[in-house]
Amino acid sequence: MPALRLDSVSLCYRLARQRPPSLKEYAIHWVKGSLTYEQLWAVRDLSLTVTKGESVGIVGRNGAGKSTLLKMVAGVLPPTRGRCAVRGSVAPILALGTGFDHELTGRENVYLNALLLGRRRREIDRSYDEIVDFAELGAFIDSPLRTYSSGMVARLGFAIATGWRPDLLILDEVMGVGDSAFTVKCEKRLEAYRAAGTTVLLVSHSAPAVENGCTRCVWIDQGRLVADGDPKEVLGAYLASLGSPAAAG
Amino acid sequence: MLRLLPYRDLAWELVLRDLRVRYRRSVIGLAWSLLQPLLMMLVLHVAFSAIFRFEVDNYPVYALAGILFWNFFSQSIVHSMNALKGNAGLIQRLPVPKAVFPVAAVLSGVVNFGLALIPLFAILVATGHRLEPALLFLPVAIAIAALFTLGAGLLLSPLAVFFSDTVELIGVLLQLAMFLTPIFYPMKIVPEPFLALVRFNPIRSILEVFRDPIYYGKIPPLSHLAVASGLAIALFALGAWVFARSSRRINFYL
Ligand SMILES: Nc1ncnc2c1ncn2[C@@H]1O[C@H](COP(=O)(O)OP(=O)(O)O)[C@@H](O)[C@H]1O
Ligand SMILES: [Mg+2]
């Protein structure tokens, strides 16, 4: 049983502006038989099998469907078609700072955020010190989050989300947000988790991060899988398609 | 619903957070939420006591019990309808079971309901109403009311995401439902054409299970209890089913 298995998954967004916003309008359109939706297929017929312990880098241009794919794997969006099966626990970091309440202190946010990730209060009590240590917030932990710099918020977010080793770690353009010392620390933690058997899905626009940190690379364009294989080769092909290697983005 | 179990600490945290906001971390907020039903009761007392003199003795207790129940019911429904939209950012980025938000909304309503019993007891004592052992039945009555209300909240909260005018529409329907529920008037005065509407109003059934121990000092008859519990379980089952069915689509509409 693989760590992650996607069986020809597709995902379709119905664009909001085309949707009747009110019950009244819906009823009118329904009676007239004029309910139309503009559809946007963000992921199309994509299959992928990832075995335990692999680190998969996902590359592709903006709007290619990378974030949408990760959201399906994280269980935030259900696939419109196809099947998505994940084995074990998942820790998604789809955007740093998700679930923070900026009026609460760092300490209160550690609890709120970890609870949102499905932790029990007891577990958080046990890991609290380690999380705060990792985030290097020191005395700031008792100040409201609105007094933090964005780097500090990012550090705390990463520390909480990776406070417990998951079976599958999902990172959407979140590496390298803090200062370089913190980035090194994050990579160390990632390395330790990988060694312990964690599977990693990582979206990054940094070619070195994918080349050095991943065992495999997947290139997506317009919701479809273009290439899948050795990071060096896939990255090379992807960067070449962009015209010049410097224009990665 | 079972997916919620590991998230019970989160539900409680959301309840606490909600209570803190509701009482704005101050005594004034708390005092106001306890005083508001009393003021309402006073207004109704002045307006209706004389009219219902022959049908209802100790009108303040009758009305206050009705008001507390109605506040819980209507506020929890509006609250749970706003719960999904209010937490859109979280729902779109974390795989948290969405039902935790309406559940927490109703739970915080239950805590408020419990707090509001304090002024009710004060009025019972002040008006010389007998304190019967039947009052110990209130937790069961509140549990039935909570299950019923949660069912309504689960049923309506996805609708509020799909259609922005749901909250207003339900507001109007709640107003209508309030007049069809014997909150501030006794059943006896309901004129013939409306009698069936009021009698078969399921909300009345739930209300009376709560009011009987307070006003009449007796545990409701078994047949009433059976009907009320049946209604609560049925509405909860319907709400949970509708919520689970529409849960997949909610993220696309937030
Ligand atoms: N919530 C949404 N509603 C409608 N369309 C969306 C939504 N999120 C993303 N899209 C569209 O889906 C496509 C893929 O987006 P995304 O997965 O964010 O791409 P990437 O992460 O690769 O940049 C884009 O065309 C984007 O406009
Ligand atoms: Mg993206």
Side-chain angles (χ1 to χ4, degrees):
Chain A
M1 165 88 196
L4 165 68
R5 195 191 158 109
L6 299 170
D7 272 330
S8 40
V9 291
S10 302
L11 188 130
C12 171
Y13 290 109
R14 283 177 169 185
L15 289 191
R17 61 193 150 79
Q18 291 295 326
R19 186 164 53 83
S22 71
L23 207 55
K24 210 166 65 191
E25 276 182 52
Y26 182 83
I28 294 167
H29 283 284
W30 187 76
V31 169
K32 285 201 294 192
S34 62
L35 277 180
T36 54
Y37 298 100
E38 191 176 312
Q39 301 188 330
L40 190 144
W41 290 88
V43 173
R44 307 166 202 232
D45 201 25
L46 194 144
S47 296
L48 187 68
T49 305
V50 180
T51 42
K52 184 168 179 285
E54 270 189 301
S55 292
V56 183
I58 300 174
V59 296
R61 308 172 59 138
N62 283 325
K66 305 178 297 292
S67 297
T68 305
L69 181 69
L70 293 190
K71 281 185 178 178
M72 279 193 287
V73 175
V76 170
L77 286 177
T80 312
R81 296 205 192 117
R83 248 176 60 80
C84 167
V86 179
R87 190 181 169 79
S89 59
V90 183
I93 312 186
L94 297 175
L96 273 177
T98 301
F100 279 141
D101 181 333
H102 287 255
E103 290 308 311
L104 299 179
T105 66
R107 178 189 303 273
E108 291 168 319
N109 268 300
V110 169
Y111 277 87
L112 179 61
N113 214 296
L115 287 168
L116 282 165
L117 290 167
R119 294 290 150 194
R120 303 294 312 277
R121 190 164 277 283
R122 254 182 298 113
E123 292 177 276
I124 306 168
D125 287 338
R126 274 201 299 268
S127 305
Y128 177 80
D129 290 335
E130 198 204 307
I131 290 172
V132 176
D133 265 1
F134 188 86
E136 294 170 20
L137 287 172
F140 270 102
I141 199 67
D142 287 311
S143 311
L145 228 63
R146 65 185 142 75
T147 65
Y148 287 26
S149 71
S150 60
M152 287 159 81
V153 174
R155 258 156 41 196
L156 188 60
F158 188 90
I160 299 167
T162 62
W164 294 267
R165 188 185 73 79
D167 294 311
L168 176 63
L169 181 60
I170 298 175
L171 301 164
D172 193 353
E173 296 184 37
V174 292
M175 293 301 283
V177 281
D179 51 35
S180 56
F182 191 71
T183 304
V184 170
K185 201 163 148 186
C186 290
E187 274 160 6
K188 263 207 187 114
R189 172 167 275 191
L190 229 57
E191 205 41 62
Y193 281 2
R194 280 187 189 118
T198 293
T199 311
V200 179
L201 281 189
L202 171 133
V203 168
S204 175
H205 285 302
S206 140
V210 174
E211 202 170 320
N212 304 327
C214 296
T215 56
R216 181 178 168 189
C217 179
V218 168
W219 170 16
I220 293 176
D221 195 46
Q222 296 185 14
R224 291 181 209 280
L225 195 136
V226 180
D228 173 6
D230 176 68
K232 245 200 178 86
E233 285 167 25
V234 175
L235 262 176
Y238 166 61
L239 293 178
S241 84
L242 293 176
S244 88
Chain B
M1 280 297 130
L2 284 178
R3 277 235 299 142
L4 281 184
L5 272 182
Y7 286 84
R8 54 190 183 277
D9 287 352
L10 170 63
W12 186 239
E13 176 69 24
L14 293 175
V15 169
L16 290 179
R17 200 160 69 130
D18 182 69
L19 293 172
R20 268 193 300 255
V21 172
R22 204 180 285 212
Y23 300 134
R24 300 244 157 62
R25 299 164 204 246
S26 79
V27 189
I28 298 166
L30 181 64
W32 170 244
S33 88
L34 297 182
L35 272 180
Q36 183 272 338
L38 289 180
L39 289 177
M40 181 85 192
M41 177 203 77
L42 210 65
V43 171
L44 291 173
H45 175 62
V46 169
F48 294 117
S49 255
I51 303 173
F52 300 144
R53 194 167 16 161
F54 302 110
E55 287 88 0
V56 195
D57 47 55
N58 203 349
Y59 180 75
V61 168
Y62 184 86
L64 184 58
I67 294 165
L68 293 185
F69 169 83
W70 188 259
N71 279 354
F72 162 70
F73 179 69
S74 59
Q75 285 170 7
S76 297
I77 285 183
V78 172
H79 219 102
S80 44
M81 284 201 296
N82 293 326
L84 292 178
K85 269 214 135 67
N87 290 291
L90 297 179
I91 292 171
Q92 281 171 323
R93 289 186 195 93
L94 290 172
V96 48
K98 294 178 263 293
V100 78
F101 300 108
V103 165
V106 174
L107 276 181
S108 93
V110 170
V111 174
N112 275 301
F113 201 3
L115 285 176
L117 292 181
I118 298 168
L120 175 73
F121 282 119
I123 293 294
L124 282 181
V125 172
T127 58
H129 206 84
R130 292 261 313 270
L131 294 176
E132 303 282 348
L135 286 174
L136 295 175
F137 180 74
L138 282 182
V140 179
I142 291 178
I144 294 173
L147 195 65
F148 183 81
T149 307
L150 180 57
L154 289 174
L155 184 68
L156 295 172
S157 57
L159 210 62
V161 172
F162 300 143
F163 306 109
S164 57
D165 56 351
T166 311
V167 180
E168 292 161 46
L169 183 75
I170 296 299
V172 174
L173 289 181
L174 276 174
Q175 202 105 63
L176 192 68
M178 191 181 90
F179 288 114
L180 292 177
T181 310
I183 290 163
F184 59 88
Y185 59 80
M187 275 300 275
K188 277 180 237 165
I189 64 121
V190 179
E192 187 55 49
F194 298 106
L195 197 57
L197 273 178
V198 177
R199 178 168 298 142
F200 295 114
N201 174 0
I203 306 169
R204 180 191 65 90
S205 187
I206 309 288
L207 160 66
E208 289 190 344
V209 164
F210 169 71
R211 189 158 54 188
D212 277 5
I214 297 165
Y215 185 68
Y216 297 108
K218 63 177 174 56
I219 291 176
L222 210 58
S223 57
H224 287 191
L225 265 181
V227 170
S229 323
L231 284 169
I233 291 169
L235 187 57
F236 173 73
L238 177 70
W241 181 74
V242 167
F243 195 93
R245 292 239 8 195
S246 42
S247 175
R248 285 169 58 87
R249 284 165 53 212
I250 288 173
N251 296 57
F252 292 107
Y253 288 80
L254 279 169

